[in-house]
């Protein structure tokens, strides 16, 4: 199996490559839309939304990624890559997203106090729920049906869905429970935490969704 | 905003890990990959890899460490710091498996243009300010390696760190490598949201209990954890 990772010359994509290597999944770093070959594309991101989106547009990925999804192929957005799938984010004074997920990203806040969310939270995921929203993985790398573990977050902005979706998990701490931690629908998967840096749980998640 | 984290630091010099005592003595620990594997096995929350830059020679040497970092295979969050002061240095970090960037001189020198550019590239959530401090009759001072001297810790510097850094690491240089010697009294009244504060240097079980009580974000256990890495779970 092979997965394409969008490479905009910034952010940390090496960790995703390493995590997938552990599962014997080969990866291609893709710098131009015509280089996309795999059914599954990962849009990872460590960075600020404004400069990241500018690079995405400059490299002609904006329409290419929308077309990829429209063709029924899989996209996995991780952290900033997940946020960019939304309609817009308020980071950097407001940035338009790809509009693949009907939501917006806000600076994390609760009762007008701004927060950062750094650390580990529980993840409890049942594969049956993914199948219920028609999220199908190509290779079935794992027969594991349930994942219970902990995952690593490091973000200052969070996704707020404009309407409830069949499968989305909100963050597990009360002050951040309006933000989405995990989203799946058909061929679109959005993950706010970092599976590539979530030790055994992250590896199990990749095996389940790829 | 999240649970208390127990992290570890590793000093990296010439591509190998070292244990350090009191800021100036080194003892070899082995390869970076071996050290990281041991820590990962016991579910350490994050690992901060620091290249100690205390002389101009050290600055020249840090780039030999990048190969060790480039080859590192881990699924534990990694922070990296030491000697990164220019955009050219930042470019060398591209595609390394690191999530957090730790800056000391950049913050103490209040280089806002450079920090803004790093935030553009990595996001503010990735930035940690590291303040190596000591206490004395004049209060707290921080080590400014660009000028090889200690400077007073001012309100202006703290505000600068608060504005540009996601988290602030207070590094007790006088107690590094020792057990339960971190000087909590020096920083417990600092006017920064405690949830942004990480402590390191002289960390032991008691220091962790103190840090939890003060609602700090994390304690970074000094690199000697490699002699009792099994204690991480118990201390959590």
């Amino acid at each position: 199996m092979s997965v394409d990772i969008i490479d905009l010359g910034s952010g940390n994509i090496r960790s995703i490559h390493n995590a997938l290597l552990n599962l014997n999944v080969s990866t291609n770093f893709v710098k131009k839309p015509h280089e996309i070959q795999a059914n599954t594309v990962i849009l990872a991101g460590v960075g600020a939304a404004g400069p990241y989106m500018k690079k995405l547009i400059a490299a002609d990925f904006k329409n290419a990624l929308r077309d990829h999804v429209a063709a029924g192929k899989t996209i996995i957005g991780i952290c900033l890559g997940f946020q960019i799938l939304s309609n817009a984010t308020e980071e950097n004074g407001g940035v338009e997203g790809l509009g693949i997920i009907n939501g917006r990203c806000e600076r994390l806040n609760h009762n007008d106090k701004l927060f950062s969310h750094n650390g580990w939270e529980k993840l409890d995921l049942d594969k049956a729920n993914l199948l219920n929203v028609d999220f199908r993985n190509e290779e079935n790398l794992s027969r594991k049906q349930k994942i219970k573990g902990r995952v690593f977050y490091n973000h200052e902005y969070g996704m707020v869905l404009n309407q409830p979706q069949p499968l989305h998990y909100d963050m597990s701490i009360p002050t951040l429970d309006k933000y989405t931690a995990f989203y799946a629908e058909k061929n679109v998967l959005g993950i706010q935490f970092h599976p590539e840096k979530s030790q055994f749980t992250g590896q199990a998640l990749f095996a389940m969704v790829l | 905003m999240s649970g208390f984290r127990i992290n570890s630091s590793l000093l990296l010099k010439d591509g190998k890990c070292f244990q350090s005592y009191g800021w100036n003595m080194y003892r070899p620990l082995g390869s970076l990959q071996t050290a990281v594997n041991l820590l990962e096995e016991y579910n350490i929350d994050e690992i901060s890899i620091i290249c100690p830059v205390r002389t101009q020679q050290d600055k020249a040497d840090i780039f030999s460490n990048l190969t060790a970092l480039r080859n590192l295979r881990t699924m534990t969050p990694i922070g990296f710091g030491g000697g990164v002061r220019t955009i050219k240095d930042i470019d060398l970090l591209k595609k390394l498996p690191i999530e957090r960037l730790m800056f000391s001189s950049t913050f103490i020198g209040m280089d806002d243009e450079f920090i803004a550019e790093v935030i553009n590239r990595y996001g503010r959530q990735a930035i940690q300010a590291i303040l190596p401090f000591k206490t004395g009759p004049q209060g707290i001072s921080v080590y400014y390696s660009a000028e090889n001297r200690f400077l007073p810790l001012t309100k202006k510097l703290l505000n600068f760190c608060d504005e540009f850094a996601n988290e602030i690491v207070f590094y007790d240089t006088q107690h590094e490598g020792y057990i339960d010697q971190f000087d909590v009294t020096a920083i417990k009244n600092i006017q920064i949201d405690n949830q942004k504060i990480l402590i390191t240097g002289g960390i032991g079980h008691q220091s962790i209990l103190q840090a939890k009580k003060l609602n700090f974000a994390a304690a970074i256990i000094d690199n000697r954890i490699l002699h009792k890495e099994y204690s991480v779970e118990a201390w959590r």
Side-chain angles (χ1 to χ4, degrees):
Chain A
M1 182 194 185
S2 182
V3 166
D4 288 338
I5 301 173
I6 305 298
D7 180 3
L8 298 177
S10 64
N12 172 23
I13 51 178
R14 173 68 61 182
S15 295
I16 293 173
H17 164 81
N18 286 346
L20 297 184
L21 215 55
N22 291 340
L23 297 169
N24 293 320
V25 173
S26 66
T27 58
N28 295 311
F29 293 123
V30 170
K31 292 183 176 170
K32 288 285 175 189
H34 71 264
E35 294 170 0
I36 295 176
Q37 301 288 328
N39 187 66
T40 301
V41 165
I42 294 183
L43 186 60
V46 172
Y52 189 81
M53 198 62 198
K54 267 186 194 164
K55 285 181 184 173
L56 205 67
I57 292 168
D60 293 327
F61 274 116
K62 190 173 177 180
N63 289 330
L65 291 174
R66 285 173 171 165
D67 293 345
H68 180 86
V69 173
K73 295 179 179 176
T74 304
I75 192 165
I76 300 176
I78 297 174
C79 197
L80 177 61
F82 169 43
Q83 295 173 11
I84 284 294
L85 297 180
S86 69
N87 299 328
T89 169
E90 63 181 35
E91 192 173 4
N92 299 122
V95 177
E96 189 187 339
L98 293 172
I100 291 171
I101 296 176
N102 186 14
R104 65 195 186 282
C105 292
E106 295 177 355
R107 181 72 173 83
L108 299 179
N109 70 85
H110 181 71
N111 292 340
D112 293 330
K113 189 181 175 194
L114 301 180
F115 288 108
S116 293
H117 184 208
N118 305 317
W120 296 79
E121 307 290 347
K122 286 179 185 169
L123 177 74
D124 193 345
L125 181 67
D126 193 326
K127 190 172 185 177
N129 293 337
L130 289 172
L131 299 177
N132 287 342
V133 292
D134 284 336
F135 183 86
R136 306 280 167 184
N137 49 342
E138 272 185 281
E139 300 289 333
N140 287 312
L141 293 178
S142 167
R143 290 186 178 183
K144 206 175 175 85
Q145 291 300 309
K146 290 188 177 180
I147 296 176
K148 267 193 178 205
R150 60 176 207 151
V151 290
F152 177 72
Y153 290 87
N154 174 214
H155 62 122
E156 293 188 340
Y157 290 82
M159 172 89 78
V160 180
L161 296 173
N162 288 340
Q163 56 197 51
Q165 296 294 320
L167 179 57
H168 72 278
Y169 292 96
D170 294 329
M171 287 176 200
S172 53
I173 35 182
T175 47
L176 293 178
D177 61 4
K178 69 173 172 174
Y179 302 104
T180 304
F182 184 89
Y183 170 101
E185 188 184 18
K186 293 181 180 170
N187 51 337
V188 178
L189 190 69
I191 306 170
Q192 181 57 66
F193 52 85
H194 288 272
E196 77 281 9
K197 287 292 177 162
S198 296
Q199 298 172 343
F200 303 117
T201 308
Q203 192 149 333
L205 179 64
F206 274 131
M208 183 183 273
V209 300
L210 290 178
Chain B
M1 195 62 254
S2 205
F4 185 82
R5 284 131 57 203
I6 297 184
N7 304 352
S8 173
S9 63
L10 288 171
L11 294 187
L12 188 64
K13 204 169 156 53
D14 303 327
K16 301 283 183 193
C17 288
F18 285 79
Q19 183 173 12
S20 169
Y21 294 91
W23 195 240
N24 57 11
M25 290 176 283
Y26 297 116
R27 175 183 171 198
L29 285 175
S31 79
L32 178 63
Q33 187 67 62
T34 304
V36 167
N37 287 350
L38 284 167
L39 294 169
E40 188 163 295
E41 193 176 335
Y42 289 91
N43 296 337
I44 196 86
D45 289 334
E46 286 179 61
I47 301 171
S48 303
I49 297 172
I50 297 168
C51 300
V53 176
R54 291 155 201 175
T55 66
Q56 283 306 310
Q57 180 61 37
D58 287 338
K59 165 75 179 165
D61 287 345
I62 70 155
F63 302 109
S64 65
N65 293 322
L66 296 183
T67 304
L69 270 171
R70 193 167 290 115
N71 295 330
L72 184 63
R73 297 273 298 274
T74 178
M75 289 188 75
T76 295
I78 299 289
F80 176 73
V84 179
R85 291 171 195 163
T86 66
I87 294 302
K88 204 173 160 187
D89 296 340
I90 287 292
D91 285 340
L92 292 169
L93 304 181
K94 270 184 193 171
K95 292 195 179 178
L96 294 182
I98 53 179
E99 286 65 47
R100 299 291 197 109
L101 292 170
M102 309 172 82
F103 297 99
S104 179
S105 286
T106 299
F107 274 98
I108 296 168
M110 291 193 255
D111 187 348
D112 53 351
E113 279 184 24
F114 174 66
I115 282 290
E117 182 55 31
V118 178
I119 289 172
N120 268 343
R121 291 173 187 226
Y122 282 84
R124 186 175 171 277
Q125 86 292 334
I127 311 298
Q128 290 177 322
I130 181 162
L131 300 178
F133 75 92
K134 70 175 184 181
T135 52
Q138 307 299 321
I140 304 174
S141 53
V142 290
Y143 181 70
Y144 186 31
S145 69
E147 295 180 1
N148 197 21
R149 66 189 178 111
F150 279 85
L151 301 173
L153 176 60
T154 61
K155 178 82 180 154
K156 190 179 172 190
L157 173 58
L158 281 173
N159 289 343
F160 182 83
C161 294
D162 196 24
E163 183 181 349
F164 288 101
N166 175 262
E167 293 182 319
I168 303 168
V169 181
F170 286 89
Y171 189 160
D172 186 341
T173 61
Q174 289 161 303
H175 300 109
E176 181 198 42
Y178 299 96
I179 298 172
D180 280 328
Q181 296 294 311
F182 183 90
D183 190 354
V184 175
T185 54
I187 64 156
K188 73 176 181 184
N189 294 321
I190 275 179
Q191 298 296 307
I192 294 279
D193 178 1
N194 283 7
Q195 271 289 294
K196 286 188 79 164
I197 293 178
L198 292 80
I199 60 170
T200 190
I203 301 299
H205 193 193
Q206 290 308 313
S207 323
I208 288 173
L209 292 175
Q210 283 179 308
K212 278 184 177 177
K213 199 172 170 186
L214 289 165
N215 207 22
F216 290 163
I220 306 176
I221 305 172
D222 313 27
N223 40 78
R224 67 180 157 64
I225 191 176
L226 280 175
H227 298 300
K228 20 159 98 176
E229 60 273 13
Y230 49 82
S231 55
V232 172
E233 283 296 324
W235 290 1
R236 200 183 297 285

